[in-house]
Amino acid sequence: MTKNRVIYLILIMIGALVCTNHYSFAQCKAKQIMKSCKPNIKPPYKYDSYVVNEFTFDAKAKTVEVQFCAFQGQKYKIVFCSSGFEEPLTMNIYDKSYRVKNNRHKVFDNSQGIDNNFWSFEPTKSGNYYIEYDVPVSSTPGVVKTGCVIMLISYIESAPAPDAK
């Protein structure tokens, strides 16, 4: 084997090891969390999809904004489930992005939830909503932790519009 091939193989093995270790230590088991929260979506709502938002709890607090679009003519129920991290995550939903300084209104906050691991939100009208997660510092100084919130999206099927004759 040539020297270049050996170096190339070593780099591939190190890369594979780093990738494997990253996922083996991750706190977010999205499919398990989603399955455990899915029973909170009851008829007339129908499950549609889920979105994973992963967070790092470290020495610096941060705010993460995620956009959600509610389409006209649909009624939604959004269920949020966390991976059970001990840090007290704050979640607020606004009608405009944090970049808009004026006329921004909070339409939901997680104090309206059942507990720190489960929240439910029903948008009142179609449009864009901005979910803001305030991620605190790690509860264990010097230790970086990961966690996630799974957003389950469900809707009510609208009755078809009558045909115009």
Side-chain angles (χ1 to χ4, degrees):
M1 243 190 238
T2 66
K3 185 177 178 181
N4 287 341
R5 267 195 175 171
V6 171
I7 291 172
Y8 183 68
L9 287 173
I10 290 172
L11 288 175
I12 289 175
M13 290 172 31
I14 290 172
L17 182 63
V18 168
C19 289
T20 303
N21 282 337
H22 168 74
Y23 289 108
S24 65
F25 293 113
Q27 293 292 321
C28 188
K29 305 220 185 293
K31 288 192 178 186
Q32 287 178 319
I33 296 167
M34 186 266 306
K35 284 181 183 178
S36 69
C37 285
K38 205 171 173 184
N40 293 298
I41 297 174
K42 296 182 178 11
Y45 289 96
K46 293 186 178 197
Y47 169 75
D48 182 45
S49 59
Y50 70 94
V51 177
V52 179
N53 294 291
E54 292 191 68
F55 307 109
T56 301
F57 299 93
D58 52 24
K60 184 179 177 187
K62 56 191 123 330
T63 300
V64 177
E65 183 179 80
V66 178
Q67 183 177 351
F68 169 72
C69 183
F71 295 103
Q72 185 174 357
Q74 294 287 353
K75 183 172 179 172
Y76 294 92
K77 180 176 184 179
I78 313 298
V79 175
F80 298 90
C81 307
S82 80
S83 60
F85 41 81
E86 57 204 47
E87 287 78 5
L89 183 76
T90 302
M91 181 187 70
N92 297 300
I93 301 177
Y94 294 91
D95 61 349
K96 293 182 176 65
S97 172
Y98 72 90
R99 294 174 188 91
V100 177
K101 301 296 180 202
N102 297 328
N103 297 325
R104 182 177 191 223
H105 299 95
K106 185 189 298 187
V107 295
F108 180 85
D109 65 61
N110 67 333
S111 67
Q112 300 168 13
I114 295 170
D115 59 29
N116 196 40
N117 295 320
F118 174 78
W119 310 279
S120 179
F121 168 65
E122 292 184 36
T124 56
K125 60 182 183 174
S126 62
N128 292 321
Y129 291 89
Y130 298 86
I131 303 163
E132 218 174 70
Y133 298 103
D134 290 325
V135 182
V137 298
S138 174
S139 62
T140 310
V143 176
V144 176
K145 299 178 184 178
T146 60
C148 66
V149 171
I150 310 297
M151 179 172 79
L152 300 178
I153 302 168
S154 61
Y155 66 96
I156 294 176
E157 280 192 54
S158 334
D163 291 335
K165 293 186 181 183

